[in-house]
Amino acid sequence: MNLYYSPGACSLAPHIVMRGAGFPVELNRVDLKAKQFEGGDYKTVNGKGYVPALRLDDGSVLTEAPVVMQYLADQKPDSGLAPKAGSMERYRLQEWLNFITSELHKGMGNFFNPALTEDWRKAVTDRLSLRMDWLAKQLEGRNYLMGDKFTVGDGYLFVIL
């Protein structure tokens, strides 16, 4: 498998999962501004132009960190990186992954926008503060998002925070 990544990006989350689960992986560093990697035009790999992208051995490509991480967890179900597909616990993990994506990751991305104004910064900070307060309450008494076991959600949350 080939993982397309960029330093400082959310592609670190599937990289953590791959290394932790012992997947053999070839890393391909992407220049996100130029949309290039050592093999050429990155948009030929992922037309969206951002990371991560995971090229599977059959040549197909998966994108979006939560999808890539769930795919990886499903390849090694005994790893415990994700609950069994179709179980209520798996849906709880998907709730977490969606919360991290939509309420934290997307919000924090604003801080990297060169057009960010002070008013915009305050609005984003206020909104993220509400989300962080809620998150802190959910984590009270827990070691990990899903309780006492590390899952792909924890890797993703770590990277985003």
Side-chain angles (χ1 to χ4, degrees):
M1 287 186 272
N2 294 38
L3 178 66
Y4 295 83
Y5 78 99
S6 186
C10 71
S11 53
L12 177 58
H15 190 180
I16 289 169
V17 169
M18 293 183 88
R19 294 294 186 190
F23 284 96
V25 60
E26 181 179 323
L27 297 174
N28 296 281
R29 184 179 179 149
V30 177
D31 178 336
L32 291 175
K33 286 186 180 180
K35 307 295 184 217
Q36 296 288 311
F37 71 106
E38 189 176 309
D41 179 3
Y42 179 61
K43 285 193 144 193
T44 63
V45 175
N46 181 359
K48 300 170 202 167
Y50 54 78
V51 293
L54 181 67
R55 184 179 304 279
L56 305 177
D57 294 338
D58 68 2
S60 61
V61 176
L62 288 174
T63 64
E64 306 300 330
V67 172
V68 169
M69 291 185 297
Q70 287 180 88
Y71 170 82
L72 293 168
D74 287 344
Q75 301 316 296
K76 293 199 176 192
D78 293 339
S79 69
L81 288 168
K84 182 180 176 185
S87 68
M88 184 53 71
E89 292 83 15
R90 182 59 168 260
Y91 295 117
R92 295 290 179 217
L93 174 63
Q94 291 174 343
E95 281 181 319
W96 277 117
L97 292 170
N98 280 281
F99 173 79
I100 296 165
T101 293
S102 64
E103 301 300 327
L104 301 179
H105 188 179
K106 199 62 154 177
M108 289 186 186
N110 288 292
F111 296 122
F112 298 95
N113 188 326
L116 184 68
T117 65
E118 284 307 311
D119 287 344
W120 184 6
R121 179 184 303 277
K122 182 178 180 344
V124 169
T125 301
D126 290 349
R127 184 172 177 89
L128 283 170
S129 292
L130 293 172
R131 302 304 185 254
M132 294 295 186
D133 289 345
W134 181 85
L135 175 63
K137 287 177 186 167
Q138 302 310 303
L139 289 172
E140 286 178 7
R142 294 181 181 191
N143 292 323
Y144 300 101
L145 290 173
M146 300 288 293
D148 63 353
K149 185 155 179 58
F150 179 90
T151 67
V152 297
D154 298 292
Y156 191 30
L157 182 61
F158 167 78
V159 170
I160 299 308
L161 293 180

